[in-house]
């Protein structure tokens, strides 16, 4: 079946609620098979490094991950115990995700999931270059293709997607919008809400 409905989703790899939304959206979209597609776009919650953010402050912040961890369908969250970090800013993991996307949807899916799991469940600094190289290998992607993450055109794509989201009025993520729509829905909705939203949209189309 040709996809008849597309969803655009804005997300950031440093956002715990985006991790939950990813799990829910991918699960519910899989229920509809080829009738629905997801397009992931960049939103930068931390567009620039913050030199004042210490590891101690970051560890204290990650205690807030316990709130999304209480959701009944939440993936694993582990407040930061590592000596790595703190993560610098949102750009590096998005560059790597775009490099994976250039290899195709499956490569992006693997890298997208690996980045989120490594950060929230494994306490790995996904803004550190060496960590990103390792995660790329763990996702089973060709080593030479990682170099695309350093392409200025990829950085421009990341910046352009973020700026376009801001122009739409987004100030936070996760957020999703039907392709052709003009009002994004913000927040990690319950999976039943995503399901009903998609069912109604498919019925209209």
């Amino acid at each position: 079946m040709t996809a008849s409905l597309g969803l655009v989703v804005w997300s950031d790899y440093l956002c715990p609620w985006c991790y939950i939304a990813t799990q829910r959206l991918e699960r519910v979209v899989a229920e509809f098979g080829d009738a629905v597609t997801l397009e992931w776009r960049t939103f930068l919650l931390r567009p620039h490094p913050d030199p004042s953010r210490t590891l101690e402050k970051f560890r204290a912040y990650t205690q807030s991950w316990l709130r999304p961890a209480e959701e009944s369908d939440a993936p694993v969250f582990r407040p930061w115990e590592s000596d790595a970090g703190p993560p610098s800013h949102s750009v590096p993991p998005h560059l790597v995700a775009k490099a994976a996307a250039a290899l195709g949807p499956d490569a992006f899916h693997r890298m997208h999931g690996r980045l989120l799991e490594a950060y929230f469940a494994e306490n790995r600094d996904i803004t550190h270059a060496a960590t990103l190289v390792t995660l790329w290998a763990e996702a089973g992607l060709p080593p030479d293709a990682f170099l695309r993450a350093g392409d200025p055109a990829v950085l421009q794509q990341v910046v352009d997607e973020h700026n376009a989201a801001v122009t739409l009025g987004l100030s936070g993520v996760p957020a999703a919008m039907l392709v052709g729509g003009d009002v994004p829905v913000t927040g990690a909705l319950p999976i039943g809400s995503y399901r009903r939203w998609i069912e109604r949209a498919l019925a209209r189309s």
Side-chain angles (χ1 to χ4, degrees), residues 5-8 10 41 164 168 176-185 197 201 204:
L5 182 70
L7 283 178
V8 177
W10 289 270
R41 294 186 187 174
L168 273 174
M177 185 174 70
L178 297 174
V179 171
D182 56 6
V183 181
V185 176
W197 185 31
R204 290 195 300 270

Side-chain angles (χ1 to χ4, degrees), residues 107-123:
F108 172 79
H109 178 78
R110 281 185 277 159
M111 196 68 230
H112 182 73
R114 195 70 200 93
L115 286 165
L116 290 165
E117 183 181 30
Y119 183 55
F120 291 109
E122 300 170 6
N123 286 183

Side-chain angles (χ1 to χ4, degrees), residues 72-175:
S72 60
D73 59 346
V76 174
F77 286 91
R78 183 159 65 95
W80 210 260
E81 299 172 349
S82 170
D83 290 330
S88 59
H89 60 310
S90 297
V91 173
H94 282 286
L95 295 177
V96 171
K98 295 299 185 194
L103 298 172
D106 179 65
F108 172 79
H109 178 78
R110 281 185 277 159
M111 196 68 230
H112 182 73
R114 195 70 200 93
L115 286 165
L116 290 165
E117 183 181 30
Y119 183 55
F120 291 109
E122 300 170 6
N123 286 183
R124 296 166 75 177
D125 181 0
I126 61 171
T127 69
H128 190 272
T131 301
L132 290 169
V133 170
T134 300
L135 293 174
W136 183 273
E138 290 176 3
L141 303 181
D144 291 349
F146 181 84
L147 297 177
R148 183 172 173 78
D151 186 338
V154 175
L155 174 59
Q156 190 61 54
Q157 181 185 3
V158 165
V159 172
D160 288 348
E161 287 185 6
H162 172 77
N163 288 341
V166 172
T167 299
L168 273 174
L170 286 183
S171 58
V173 283

